[in-house]
Amino acid sequence: MSQSTLRPIDPGGLRVGIIMDGNGRWAQARGRPRVAGHRAGARVARRIVEAAPDLGISVLTLYAFSSDNWRRPTREVRSLMRLFRAYLRTEVRTCVERGVRLRILGRRDRLSASLLAAIRAAEAATSGGQKLLLRVALDYSARDAIVEAAMRACGRERLTRESFAELLGAAMNLGEASSDLDLLIRTGGEQRLSDFLLWESAYAELVFSPRMWPDFTPAELEAAVREYHRRERRFGRVPGESGREAWHEVCATGGDRE
Ligand code: FPP
């Protein structure tokens, strides 16, 4: 089966993105090296992935390493890369058992051969998963992906949101068109997007948690999902109205004159 024909079991499920922030501060507060925070963070990621399907989540995207994170100290970057490789190798079996399809998004040309091999093996082994699509963003920059998609679009006569989403999906190594996020969660107390899924977050509901990522729990994920369901998503419309576009009546007929 080709990647593009694969679909999660529930196409109507929630699409959630998480910016897992606060590992370094969590470790430093305990007098431990930052990498201890990342290791604890990886364990939390595992629990969150386990909890996601029962909360109605069908696509979960975790921001593991941004393209700007290459600017961190070499030691930390090396430890993170080792951690990602170990995570991929150890999680494959659980992912297969739980119906989780794993996909790594972002650039691949700056990753080591051994990490690339682990990525390819994990993606191939889990490609039949239909319960949850787990995307891990690695060497990912939303702006770079948008620029790359725009370059791929050059020369096209017509470009729609849908065809751009196809190009964006290709630019991100998604294996399918890029799709919207419903809910974006950021832990660690900061309230910013940090170049994560900018196009896909156009109408995402944002939930910010003061918790450092290693302290984040499935119960808090559930609370964020509940919060999402309490919110009214209007997409620019007024509640109770049909949402029919009024521009023609107002503009083309001169209906905006006093
Ligand atoms: C941000 O915290 C976190 C990262 C840059 C790495 C995220 C990685 C993991 C959670 C572990 C691996 C997970 C998977 C799914 C493979 P920070 O270091 O910026 O924290 P700080 O803001 O407190 O310094």
Side-chain angles (χ1 to χ4, degrees):
M1 212 172 349
S2 81
Q3 293 285 356
S4 57
T5 57
L6 288 168
R7 285 282 173 272
I9 221 162
D10 179 10
L14 268 188
R15 296 157 301 180
V16 176
I18 307 184
I19 302 175
M20 308 178 288
D21 194 20
N23 293 348
R25 280 167 286 162
W26 181 90
Q28 277 161 354
R30 286 157 182 78
R32 295 167 68 189
R34 293 175 58 82
V35 66
H38 296 317
R39 279 196 213 103
R43 290 192 288 274
V44 169
R46 179 177 226 248
R47 290 198 284 277
I48 294 302
V49 169
E50 278 172 15
D54 289 341
L55 298 172
I57 297 171
S58 62
V59 184
L60 178 65
T61 310
L62 301 177
Y63 202 9
F65 191 84
S66 79
S67 295
D68 287 326
N69 285 153
W70 289 116
R71 298 197 189 118
R72 292 189 173 207
T74 308
R75 248 179 78 196
E76 183 174 347
V77 172
R78 190 173 287 127
S79 302
L80 274 167
M81 293 300 147
R82 283 196 188 123
L83 187 60
F84 296 145
R85 200 176 50 208
Y87 179 90
L88 289 169
R89 286 179 181 162
T90 56
E91 292 307 299
V92 166
R93 190 188 295 176
T94 324
C95 285
V96 171
E97 282 166 9
R98 292 178 178 269
V100 176
R101 189 189 334 152
L102 196 59
R103 183 87 199 176
I104 306 301
L105 58 101
R107 282 179 66 163
R108 298 206 174 178
D109 57 313
R110 300 191 285 196
L111 304 180
S112 71
S114 60
L115 181 53
L116 272 177
I119 288 173
R120 292 199 188 106
E123 288 183 337
T126 62
S127 64
Q130 297 207 321
K131 210 163 177 196
L132 176 74
L133 174 56
L134 170 62
R135 290 172 171 161
V136 177
L138 229 174
D139 196 1
Y140 172 77
S141 153
R143 289 197 293 195
D144 285 353
I146 291 168
V147 168
E148 170 71 25
M151 282 188 333
R152 290 174 190 229
C154 279
R156 291 198 177 202
E157 263 187 21
R158 198 174 139 67
L159 192 64
T160 60
R161 287 181 183 180
E162 288 72 26
S163 55
F164 189 74
E166 294 273 349
L167 295 170
L168 191 53
M172 292 156 68
N173 278 313
L174 220 52
E176 60 187 8
S178 190
S179 55
D180 282 356
L181 269 193
D182 297 309
L183 169 63
L184 173 58
I185 301 169
R186 181 178 185 134
T187 63
E190 312 285 359
Q191 303 195 352
R192 53 177 171 255
L193 297 180
S194 299
D195 205 11
F196 182 56
L197 298 177
L198 300 181
W199 170 276
E200 297 78 1
S201 299
Y203 275 102
E205 295 296 329
L206 309 181
V207 170
F208 297 105
S209 164
R211 290 251 190 209
M212 301 299 129
W213 175 252
D215 287 331
F216 195 71
T217 62
E220 276 158 298
L221 177 64
E222 186 176 353
V225 169
R226 281 183 198 278
E227 168 65 24
Y228 165 83
H229 286 300
R230 274 196 296 273
R231 297 204 188 156
E232 184 181 38
R233 301 187 82 195
R234 300 216 296 262
F235 300 98
R237 295 189 295 261
V238 170
E241 295 290 323
S242 70
R244 192 169 57 88
E245 292 194 8
W247 65 268
H248 183 74
E249 284 157 60
V250 174
C251 301
T253 62
D256 58 342
R257 283 192 221 115
E258 284 298 313

